[in-house]
Amino acid sequence: MKKQILTYFCLLFGATLQGMSMSLFLFPHSIPSGGAAGLAILMNHWFNLSLGFSLWLANIVFLLFALKYFGYSWTFRTILSVATTSTVVSIITSHVPHIHVHILFDLAAGAVLFGVGVGLLIRAGASSGGMVIPALMIASYKRWSPGKVMMGINLLIFVCTAMVINYQIVIYAIICQFFSTNIIDFIYQLNFHQLLFLSANWRKR
């Protein structure tokens, strides 16, 4: 019971950090934190949908794949993660004004929060949804690091976002991905010693 409580605490904490990174630091500059976030920004740009709702839509198809590939427990945790992240994004974008310091500061802060958040989600047996799901599928099959696979997939979305909104976005997005995916891999490989409940158990057994 204690293990379950700690696992879900880390899941909710990681999802909250991810939502904060998007809404406070990345989305105000239209910088996608990943493929699903890039699709959310495009839907917001094209159809004027809210970012939180767009994030949900961008995750639906991938969650169906996750159900078959990773099983019910992993998918349930991922749905909880997506719901928490989308809720945080909706609340912050609607009620918290963006205090702009400098785009490089926002980029660095967003990358760190996003990397830590997604890293905790993977260690808690879930994901942030979106392109993390096919990235974990490929990583599981090829035994590659999840962060590097995710960066490769997201580059395609970044290019599309840059063509539609601003070409500079792809540069910022790649910088963000470089730092955040390295943080994700660091947390994924980290030995938590006594925190054995964070076992990076995202592979289906």
Side-chain angles (χ1 to χ4, degrees):
M1 187 66 179
K2 182 180 178 181
K3 175 182 176 180
Q4 285 287 88
I5 293 173
L6 289 173
T7 298
Y8 279 96
F9 172 79
C10 286
L11 188 152
L12 294 174
F13 183 61
T16 300
L17 288 180
Q18 180 184 227
M20 290 173 62
S21 75
M22 293 176 176
S23 52
L24 289 176
F25 302 109
L26 301 178
F27 282 179
H29 302 288
S30 295
I31 299 173
S33 57
L39 293 176
I41 290 173
L42 289 173
M43 284 188 282
N44 174 261
H45 178 77
W46 284 329
F47 308 113
N48 201 31
L49 298 175
S50 71
L51 289 169
F53 180 67
S54 297
L55 204 57
W56 256 115
L57 289 180
N59 279 285
I60 289 176
V61 174
F62 297 109
L63 288 170
L64 293 176
F65 280 105
L67 183 62
K68 181 178 180 180
Y69 193 86
F70 293 111
Y72 290 98
S73 296
W74 189 92
T75 304
F76 172 75
R77 292 176 181 176
T78 297
I79 290 173
L80 181 59
S81 162
V82 172
T84 303
T85 298
S86 299
T87 301
V88 171
V89 169
S90 296
I91 292 173
I92 292 179
T93 53
S94 299
H95 299 96
V96 179
H98 175 239
I99 302 175
H100 177 64
V101 179
H102 192 279
I103 189 169
L104 293 181
F105 172 83
D106 288 350
L107 187 64
V112 170
L113 285 181
F114 184 81
V116 173
V118 175
L120 286 175
L121 288 174
I122 294 175
R123 291 302 297 255
S127 86
S128 58
M131 300 303 169
V132 177
I133 294 173
L136 289 179
M137 290 180 181
I138 296 171
S140 176
Y141 180 73
K142 294 289 188 178
R143 297 289 172 175
W144 293 340
S145 67
K148 298 301 184 296
V149 177
M150 187 169 64
M151 183 173 184
I153 294 174
N154 287 337
L155 282 176
L156 296 174
I157 304 296
F158 295 159
V159 171
C160 182
T161 307
M163 290 173 62
V164 171
I165 300 177
N166 190 325
Y167 75 92
Q168 290 180 327
I169 288 174
V170 72
I171 299 174
Y172 294 133
I174 290 173
I175 294 172
C176 177
Q177 278 289 294
F178 174 78
F179 287 105
S180 64
T181 52
N182 276 282
I183 293 171
I184 290 169
D185 284 339
F186 173 76
I187 293 177
Y188 170 70
Q189 296 164 2
L190 192 63
N191 184 359
F192 281 88
H193 297 293
Q194 299 303 317
L195 301 182
L196 298 178
F197 64 95
L198 292 178
S199 58
N201 55 344
W202 49 270
R203 290 189 175 90
K204 186 176 181 180
R205 290 172 170 80

PDB file of all heavy atoms in Angstrom, residues 36 49 61 74 83 89 116 147 151 161 163 192 203-204:
ATOM      1  N   ALA A  36       3.393  15.768 -28.838  1.00  0.00           N
ATOM      2  CA  ALA A  36       1.998  16.018 -28.486  1.00  0.00           C
ATOM      3  C   ALA A  36       1.770  17.492 -28.187  1.00  0.00           C
ATOM      4  O   ALA A  36       0.742  18.070 -28.569  1.00  0.00           O
ATOM      5  CB  ALA A  36       1.596  15.163 -27.281  1.00  0.00           C
ATOM      6  N   LEU A  49      -8.540  26.145 -30.280  1.00  0.00           N
ATOM      7  CA  LEU A  49      -8.918  25.298 -29.147  1.00  0.00           C
ATOM      8  C   LEU A  49      -8.007  25.613 -27.970  1.00  0.00           C
ATOM      9  O   LEU A  49      -6.865  26.029 -28.147  1.00  0.00           O
ATOM     10  CB  LEU A  49      -8.778  23.821 -29.511  1.00  0.00           C
ATOM     11  CG  LEU A  49      -9.654  23.304 -30.664  1.00  0.00           C
ATOM     12  CD1 LEU A  49      -9.304  21.857 -30.985  1.00  0.00           C
ATOM     13  CD2 LEU A  49     -11.134  23.414 -30.310  1.00  0.00           C
ATOM     14  N   VAL A  61      -5.136   8.958 -29.626  1.00  0.00           N
ATOM     15  CA  VAL A  61      -4.730   7.856 -30.502  1.00  0.00           C
ATOM     16  C   VAL A  61      -3.588   7.063 -29.879  1.00  0.00           C
ATOM     17  O   VAL A  61      -3.592   5.820 -29.896  1.00  0.00           O
ATOM     18  CB  VAL A  61      -4.309   8.398 -31.881  1.00  0.00           C
ATOM     19  CG1 VAL A  61      -3.738   7.274 -32.746  1.00  0.00           C
ATOM     20  CG2 VAL A  61      -5.496   9.051 -32.574  1.00  0.00           C
ATOM     21  N   TRP A  74      -0.355   0.367 -16.906  1.00  0.00           N
ATOM     22  CA  TRP A  74       0.496   1.431 -17.458  1.00  0.00           C
ATOM     23  C   TRP A  74      -0.353   2.497 -18.150  1.00  0.00           C
ATOM     24  O   TRP A  74      -0.120   3.688 -17.987  1.00  0.00           O
ATOM     25  CB  TRP A  74       1.495   0.816 -18.427  1.00  0.00           C
ATOM     26  CG  TRP A  74       2.565   1.763 -18.896  1.00  0.00           C
ATOM     27  CD1 TRP A  74       3.792   1.947 -18.334  1.00  0.00           C
ATOM     28  CD2 TRP A  74       2.512   2.631 -20.025  1.00  0.00           C
ATOM     29  NE1 TRP A  74       4.507   2.886 -19.052  1.00  0.00           N
ATOM     30  CE2 TRP A  74       3.744   3.322 -20.096  1.00  0.00           C
ATOM     31  CE3 TRP A  74       1.538   2.897 -20.997  1.00  0.00           C
ATOM     32  CZ2 TRP A  74       4.027   4.254 -21.083  1.00  0.00           C
ATOM     33  CZ3 TRP A  74       1.818   3.824 -21.985  1.00  0.00           C
ATOM     34  CH2 TRP A  74       3.048   4.490 -22.023  1.00  0.00           C
ATOM     35  N   ALA A  83      -4.249  13.575 -17.805  1.00  0.00           N
ATOM     36  CA  ALA A  83      -5.323  14.367 -17.199  1.00  0.00           C
ATOM     37  C   ALA A  83      -4.766  15.421 -16.255  1.00  0.00           C
ATOM     38  O   ALA A  83      -5.206  16.581 -16.260  1.00  0.00           O
ATOM     39  CB  ALA A  83      -6.290  13.441 -16.450  1.00  0.00           C
ATOM     40  N   VAL A  89      -2.163  22.681 -17.122  1.00  0.00           N
ATOM     41  CA  VAL A  89      -1.999  23.616 -18.240  1.00  0.00           C
ATOM     42  C   VAL A  89      -3.218  24.522 -18.360  1.00  0.00           C
ATOM     43  O   VAL A  89      -3.085  25.751 -18.537  1.00  0.00           O
ATOM     44  CB  VAL A  89      -1.760  22.843 -19.557  1.00  0.00           C
ATOM     45  CG1 VAL A  89      -1.858  23.788 -20.758  1.00  0.00           C
ATOM     46  CG2 VAL A  89      -0.400  22.168 -19.550  1.00  0.00           C
ATOM     47  N   VAL A 116      12.650  16.591 -15.660  1.00  0.00           N
ATOM     48  CA  VAL A 116      12.444  15.965 -14.347  1.00  0.00           C
ATOM     49  C   VAL A 116      11.057  15.337 -14.279  1.00  0.00           C
ATOM     50  O   VAL A 116      10.888  14.208 -13.798  1.00  0.00           O
ATOM     51  CB  VAL A 116      12.634  16.992 -13.217  1.00  0.00           C
ATOM     52  CG1 VAL A 116      12.249  16.384 -11.872  1.00  0.00           C
ATOM     53  CG2 VAL A 116      14.077  17.483 -13.179  1.00  0.00           C
ATOM     54  N   GLY A 147      14.861   8.682 -24.010  1.00  0.00           N
ATOM     55  CA  GLY A 147      15.003  10.109 -24.294  1.00  0.00           C
ATOM     56  C   GLY A 147      15.466  10.389 -25.712  1.00  0.00           C
ATOM     57  O   GLY A 147      14.930  11.267 -26.397  1.00  0.00           O
ATOM     58  N   MET A 151      13.436  12.242 -28.837  1.00  0.00           N
ATOM     59  CA  MET A 151      13.928  13.439 -29.511  1.00  0.00           C
ATOM     60  C   MET A 151      13.860  13.275 -31.025  1.00  0.00           C
ATOM     61  O   MET A 151      13.455  14.207 -31.735  1.00  0.00           O
ATOM     62  CB  MET A 151      15.364  13.748 -29.077  1.00  0.00           C
ATOM     63  CG  MET A 151      15.908  15.023 -29.703  1.00  0.00           C
ATOM     64  SD  MET A 151      17.513  15.499 -29.032  1.00  0.00           S
ATOM     65  CE  MET A 151      17.761  17.068 -29.900  1.00  0.00           C
ATOM     66  N   THR A 161       5.757  22.531 -36.845  1.00  0.00           N
ATOM     67  CA  THR A 161       5.378  23.693 -36.040  1.00  0.00           C
ATOM     68  C   THR A 161       6.137  24.932 -36.482  1.00  0.00           C
ATOM     69  O   THR A 161       5.567  26.029 -36.568  1.00  0.00           O
ATOM     70  CB  THR A 161       5.669  23.427 -34.542  1.00  0.00           C
ATOM     71  OG1 THR A 161       5.040  22.203 -34.156  1.00  0.00           O
ATOM     72  CG2 THR A 161       5.141  24.554 -33.677  1.00  0.00           C
ATOM     73  N   MET A 163       7.339  25.568 -39.481  1.00  0.00           N
ATOM     74  CA  MET A 163       6.870  26.009 -40.797  1.00  0.00           C
ATOM     75  C   MET A 163       5.563  26.780 -40.696  1.00  0.00           C
ATOM     76  O   MET A 163       5.323  27.734 -41.435  1.00  0.00           O
ATOM     77  CB  MET A 163       6.698  24.792 -41.713  1.00  0.00           C
ATOM     78  CG  MET A 163       8.011  24.135 -42.119  1.00  0.00           C
ATOM     79  SD  MET A 163       7.757  22.590 -43.028  1.00  0.00           S
ATOM     80  CE  MET A 163       6.878  23.201 -44.471  1.00  0.00           C
ATOM     81  N   PHE A 192      17.975   4.772  -7.323  1.00  0.00           N
ATOM     82  CA  PHE A 192      17.303   5.439  -6.214  1.00  0.00           C
ATOM     83  C   PHE A 192      17.533   4.747  -4.870  1.00  0.00           C
ATOM     84  O   PHE A 192      16.985   5.163  -3.860  1.00  0.00           O
ATOM     85  CB  PHE A 192      15.783   5.519  -6.482  1.00  0.00           C
ATOM     86  CG  PHE A 192      15.400   6.623  -7.434  1.00  0.00           C
ATOM     87  CD1 PHE A 192      15.381   6.388  -8.797  1.00  0.00           C
ATOM     88  CD2 PHE A 192      15.064   7.869  -6.977  1.00  0.00           C
ATOM     89  CE1 PHE A 192      15.021   7.388  -9.683  1.00  0.00           C
ATOM     90  CE2 PHE A 192      14.707   8.881  -7.845  1.00  0.00           C
ATOM     91  CZ  PHE A 192      14.687   8.636  -9.200  1.00  0.00           C
ATOM     92  N   ARG A 203       8.133  -1.354 -19.272  1.00  0.00           N
ATOM     93  CA  ARG A 203       8.044  -2.432 -20.252  1.00  0.00           C
ATOM     94  C   ARG A 203       6.983  -3.440 -19.836  1.00  0.00           C
ATOM     95  O   ARG A 203       6.909  -3.853 -18.692  1.00  0.00           O
ATOM     96  CB  ARG A 203       9.399  -3.156 -20.407  1.00  0.00           C
ATOM     97  CG  ARG A 203      10.445  -2.303 -21.094  1.00  0.00           C
ATOM     98  CD  ARG A 203      11.695  -3.142 -21.408  1.00  0.00           C
ATOM     99  NE  ARG A 203      12.656  -2.387 -22.167  1.00  0.00           N
ATOM    100  CZ  ARG A 203      13.620  -1.658 -21.622  1.00  0.00           C
ATOM    101  NH1 ARG A 203      13.725  -1.589 -20.312  1.00  0.00           N
ATOM    102  NH2 ARG A 203      14.463  -0.986 -22.382  1.00  0.00           N
ATOM    103  N   LYS A 204       6.172  -3.831 -20.778  1.00  0.00           N
ATOM    104  CA  LYS A 204       5.098  -4.774 -20.489  1.00  0.00           C
ATOM    105  C   LYS A 204       5.667  -6.137 -20.167  1.00  0.00           C
ATOM    106  O   LYS A 204       6.564  -6.613 -20.848  1.00  0.00           O
ATOM    107  CB  LYS A 204       4.145  -4.876 -21.700  1.00  0.00           C
ATOM    108  CG  LYS A 204       2.910  -5.727 -21.423  1.00  0.00           C
ATOM    109  CD  LYS A 204       1.982  -5.710 -22.604  1.00  0.00           C
ATOM    110  CE  LYS A 204       0.740  -6.543 -22.326  1.00  0.00           C
ATOM    111  NZ  LYS A 204      -0.192  -6.533 -23.466  1.00  0.00           N
TER     112      LYS A 204
END
